[in-house]
Amino acid sequence: MIYDVIYFDLGDTLVDNSSPTSWIPGAHDAIDLLRQRGLRLGLISNTGTLTRQQLIGMLPPDFDLGLFDESLIILSSEVGVEKPAFDIFRLAVAKSCVAACRCLFCTEELFHTLAAQQVGMHVARLQTPPQGDVGSVPDLLQRLESLT
């Protein structure tokens, strides 16, 4: 796999927007497996005006921000820019300390994938719930490896 960093969106990618206290089925296992493979994981999420504490209170009880590299957690409420603005993806690349082509962004949002691609990141566009496919771990890993 050619990626050093994999960024994820939160809503409808890892966590079900219709029930924010629920993971997308299998998403937690996918995150664990990617970490076991030694990949650095991050988040790029539009969080409105929520503080980090407020956001944590809305996530599944077993959602642990510690699964993600602290320097790679990019919340719009903290950085002052939202997706699909190019600047949030440029910031993600800068924080990763690797070339944009070594970063992958996973989301269900078409316009967000297009913006990430414009700054040189690779993207994996996932299905929205209830067909969310981030949790189909072997399929996701196979898709990621096919992007290399």
Side-chain angles (χ1 to χ4, degrees):
M1 195 173 303
I2 64 166
Y3 306 111
D4 295 317
V5 176
I6 299 180
Y7 283 102
F8 289 91
D9 183 20
L10 270 175
D12 281 346
T13 300
L14 296 178
V15 177
D16 190 338
N17 272 346
S18 65
S19 174
T21 58
S22 299
W23 285 90
I24 297 293
H28 193 272
D29 293 336
I31 295 297
D32 286 343
L33 186 57
L34 292 169
R35 282 181 51 88
Q36 288 171 17
R37 288 201 168 193
L39 293 160
R40 294 171 55 215
L41 302 180
L43 296 171
I44 304 173
S45 186
N46 287 346
T47 53
T49 60
L50 294 173
T51 66
R52 191 176 287 223
Q53 269 317 108
Q54 290 170 324
L55 176 65
I56 290 169
M58 297 172 64
L59 294 172
D62 63 340
F63 195 98
D64 180 7
L65 287 180
L67 296 171
F68 303 90
D69 185 318
E70 175 61 33
S71 66
L72 302 178
I73 298 174
I74 301 170
L75 306 176
S76 66
S77 57
E78 294 178 352
V79 299
V81 63
E82 290 190 345
K83 299 174 289 172
F86 296 144
D87 285 346
I88 199 164
F89 296 106
R90 287 186 187 115
L91 177 63
V93 170
K95 285 181 168 272
S96 74
C97 297
V98 299
C101 64
R102 307 281 301 174
C103 297
L104 176 72
F105 178 56
C106 301
T107 185
E108 79 294 344
E109 292 285 342
L110 175 62
F111 290 118
H112 299 177
T113 62
L114 295 173
Q117 286 177 311
Q118 286 296 310
V119 301
M121 296 173 81
H122 287 260
V123 299
R125 185 158 174 242
L126 304 171
Q127 297 293 314
T128 57
Q131 291 82 25
D133 56 350
V134 71
S136 49
V137 177
D139 293 341
L140 176 64
L141 291 175
Q142 191 172 38
R143 284 175 60 197
L144 295 179
E145 288 170 355
S146 75
L147 294 172
T148 61

